[in-house]
Amino acid sequence: MATVVVASVVMYPPPSLYSCTARIWLREIGFSLTYGALMLKTWRISVIFRVRSAKAVKITDARLLKRLGVLCGFVGIALLVRTLVAPPVVIVGRTADNLKAFLCKTDWWDHTFTSSK
C-alpha cells in the first residue's frame, strides 16, 4: 500500500527525467523489498522444518536483513545500469482531438523489469 502511495505522489507532477527515473526506481525497489522479505521469511521457515536433527536452527532477523540488503543491492545495480544505459524519456502523446499529454516512455528495459505486466 505504501509503495502505491509513493508511486502516486511521484506520478502527480508533470513527467520529467527525474520523476520518470524516480517512478522506475521506487517501483523496483519497493517490489524487491516486499517480495524479498516474503521470500526470505518463507525460506527461514523451510530451513527450520527441513532440519532432521534435534538441534535447533536459529536464523536471526539480522541475517535475513543482510540477505535482503544483498538482494536490494543487486536490484539497485541493475537499476543503475538501466538508468545509465537508457535514461527515461518524456514523450508527448496526442489524442485524435490534438490534445497532448506528457508521458514517460516505456521501452525494452521496462518490459524486462516488469515481465508480468
Side-chain angles (χ1 to χ4, degrees), residues 12-71:
Y12 181 72
S16 67
L17 172 69
Y18 301 112
S19 65
C20 290
T21 303
R23 178 184 59 89
I24 294 167
W25 276 71
L26 289 172
R27 180 185 66 212
E28 300 304 328
I29 293 292
F31 180 85
S32 66
L33 281 173
T34 304
Y35 288 100
L38 290 173
M39 179 189 67
L40 287 171
K41 286 182 177 186
T42 304
W43 172 77
R44 176 171 53 182
I45 297 296
S46 82
V47 167
I48 290 171
F49 285 107
R50 217 177 356 177
V51 173
R52 298 188 185 271
S53 66
K55 182 180 175 185
V57 175
K58 183 154 173 83
I59 301 173
T60 63
D61 288 340
R63 281 182 64 193
L64 288 180
L65 283 174
K66 285 179 190 174
R67 289 176 185 242
L68 187 60
V70 169
L71 178 73

Side-chain angles (χ1 to χ4, degrees), residues 10-24 82 86-94 100-107 110:
V10 169
M11 292 173 59
Y12 181 72
S16 67
L17 172 69
Y18 301 112
S19 65
C20 290
T21 303
R23 178 184 59 89
I24 294 167
R82 185 253 189 267
V89 177
V90 178
I91 59 171
V92 178
R94 295 192 183 270
K100 31 181 201 179
F102 296 99
L103 308 165
C104 297
K105 183 180 178 186
T106 57
D107 56 2
D110 290 315

